[in-house]
Amino acid sequence: MCHIDEKSLIATVTVNRPEVLNALDVATAQALQAVVAPLAARTDLRCIVFNGAGRAFMAGGDLAGFAADFDKASDTVNALLDALECVIAVFRHHPAPVLASVHGAVAGAGVSLVAACDLVVAAENTQFLLAYNKIGAPPDCGGSYFLPRLIGERKAAALMYLSETWSAAQAKDNGLINRVVRDDQLASTTAKLAETIAQGPTSAFSQYKALVRDGHCLLYTSPSPRDRQKS
């Protein structure tokens, strides 16, 4: 679901499947896409907050749902990823900063989605875990792209190969998130941070966001000096 405060121009996007810790099935991913996609046209927004309802931010993909119809699992995964890729594209290209507010479990695709956001505040009870090695798959939802660039290849490798679980404090020390607050202060701190962003120089923030985003692309696609001399 999505709520837009038309006065502050802060949009709050909430994953709302709390009975299964917001585990992502196709219906949930497509519902998330349905509320996020229209935000691309709201270039007047000044901040987007991304959070999860209930006891956790996101417990990753709904593996039980995939296993329920194993013969169609590939189609199910593709449909889910198509929806989430749209969400990530909006978050990355929207001119407004995206602030993730997380608590409880942040697992699998949840880690990748957090890494795609611009800023992250976490409650002390938050735990981060990739766990893709347990299902024999590489990180999806851009995790293999965002995580090494955000926290470094060695730390990203430990999350993937060793299935390390990070506390909120470890995630902050390792550069995955920006701030850790008491569990009972997450909502109020998120609101204050969003308001601070919304009251800032939106145009400058947008330009900075684009420069960082495009700079990554240039860094990894530009020819080397030697190649340039040959051309």
Side-chain angles (χ1 to χ4, degrees), residues 148-216:
R149 289 159 177 76
L150 186 65
I151 63 177
E153 291 187 13
R154 295 290 184 243
K155 292 174 183 176
L159 284 175
M160 177 61 197
Y161 301 141
L162 305 178
S163 197
E164 289 186 351
T165 298
W166 287 356
S167 66
Q170 288 174 306
K172 181 178 181 296
D173 289 343
N174 288 326
L176 181 60
I177 67 175
N178 299 94
R179 188 171 299 188
V180 179
V181 298
R182 281 189 354 220
D183 300 350
D184 60 354
Q185 292 183 341
L186 180 62
S188 61
T189 300
T190 299
K192 290 178 182 177
L193 291 174
E195 190 64 32
T196 297
I197 293 168
Q199 292 178 354
T202 302
S203 178
F205 290 166
S206 173
Q207 292 175 56
Y208 172 76
K209 184 171 177 175
L211 287 168
V212 172
R213 182 186 65 239
D214 296 343
H216 279 309

Side-chain angles (χ1 to χ4, degrees), residues 27 30 106 110 115 215 218 221:
Q30 290 178 341
V106 181
L218 289 172
T221 60

Side-chain angles (χ1 to χ4, degrees), residues 2-227:
C2 179
H3 170 73
I4 299 177
D5 185 323
E6 296 295 348
K7 182 178 180 180
S8 65
L9 294 174
I10 296 171
T12 300
V13 176
T14 303
V15 184
N16 190 28
R17 200 184 178 209
E19 67 277 8
V20 289
L21 303 182
N22 296 318
L24 292 167
D25 60 2
V26 172
T28 305
Q30 290 178 341
L32 184 59
Q33 177 188 11
V35 299
V36 169
L39 298 182
R42 288 294 306 264
T43 55
D44 59 330
L45 294 178
R46 303 178 72 88
C47 181
I48 299 172
V49 175
F50 183 38
N51 60 21
R55 295 183 294 115
F57 172 73
M58 187 180 295
D62 186 354
L63 299 182
F66 301 153
D69 193 348
F70 190 75
D71 291 339
K72 296 183 179 179
S74 179
D75 293 337
T76 300
V77 170
N78 288 335
L80 185 147
L81 293 180
D82 286 345
L84 294 180
E85 285 172 5
C86 174
V87 173
I88 293 169
V90 173
F91 283 175
R92 295 299 291 178
H93 290 275
H94 200 284
V98 179
L99 169 65
S101 176
V102 302
H103 66 291
V106 181
V111 177
S112 298
L113 288 168
V114 164
C117 296
D118 299 300
L119 294 163
V120 188
V121 57
E124 288 178 331
N125 71 353
T126 313
Q127 292 196 320
F128 299 83
L129 174 67
L130 279 184
Y132 284 97
N133 63 322
K134 298 183 183 301
I135 61 173
D140 47 27
C141 300
S144 59
Y145 176 85
F146 295 120
L147 286 170
R149 289 159 177 76
L150 186 65
I151 63 177
E153 291 187 13
R154 295 290 184 243
K155 292 174 183 176
L159 284 175
M160 177 61 197
Y161 301 141
L162 305 178
S163 197
E164 289 186 351
T165 298
W166 287 356
S167 66
Q170 288 174 306
K172 181 178 181 296
D173 289 343
N174 288 326
L176 181 60
I177 67 175
N178 299 94
R179 188 171 299 188
V180 179
V181 298
R182 281 189 354 220
D183 300 350
D184 60 354
Q185 292 183 341
L186 180 62
S188 61
T189 300
T190 299
K192 290 178 182 177
L193 291 174
E195 190 64 32
T196 297
I197 293 168
Q199 292 178 354
T202 302
S203 178
F205 290 166
S206 173
Q207 292 175 56
Y208 172 76
K209 184 171 177 175
L211 287 168
V212 172
R213 182 186 65 239
D214 296 343
H216 279 309
C217 294
L218 289 172
L219 179 62
Y220 288 93
T221 60
S222 294
S224 67
R226 181 177 299 175
D227 291 336

